[in-house]
Amino acid sequence: MKREKERDPAADEVRVEESPPEELPAAGEEASADSEEQIGFYVDRLQRMQAEFENFRRRSQQELREREARTTVRIFQSILPVVDDLRLAARTEEQGSEGANEGLRIILDKLSGLLGELSIEEIPAEGEPFDPQWHEALLHQESDDVDPGCIVQELERGYRLGETLIRASRVIVSKGKES
């Protein structure tokens, strides 16, 4: 297509008018093919750059989520000893006053609430089948009440963040009935 440029001085714009197709010379067709090839090249390049940017954005978001999860795990690992000591103190009946026990229970409830806000879950243990992914067996014990391979007692509670193990539950596992 042959294009003629006309200048409109009032609008100061360039207008392009198309000529009828029969006026196109062979050299113009060749130039048009080169232009279309260049356009195709640049469109392809633009699409590739857009795809690369989208992949980069997804990777960056995933890395950020993983970094946040690692940070949460490190923070919680530093809080665990306090939680364990409070839980042990709350279970102990030898406290001097009932008020001290109640205070410990309040602190433990607050810490448990904090863990919930961080999406940290306790790993169920007592009475559950032993699962090496979530539990660490410290002892095996004979038991008439608990099936073999199930957890008799939880010594230390385990925690996880989604499918990420923070700490395995430390447990005593049943060997079954006494022989």
Side-chain angles (χ1 to χ4, degrees), residues 150-166:
C150 290
I151 297 170
V152 175
Q153 183 182 356
E154 176 183 64
L155 301 174
E156 268 186 5
R157 190 149 299 163
Y159 298 89
R160 68 184 187 180
L161 177 66
E163 292 299 310
T164 303
L165 179 66
I166 296 173

Side-chain angles (χ1 to χ4, degrees), residues 6-15:
E6 292 183 14
R7 184 117 176 135
D8 183 358
D12 200 27
E13 294 179 357
V14 177
R15 293 186 350 195

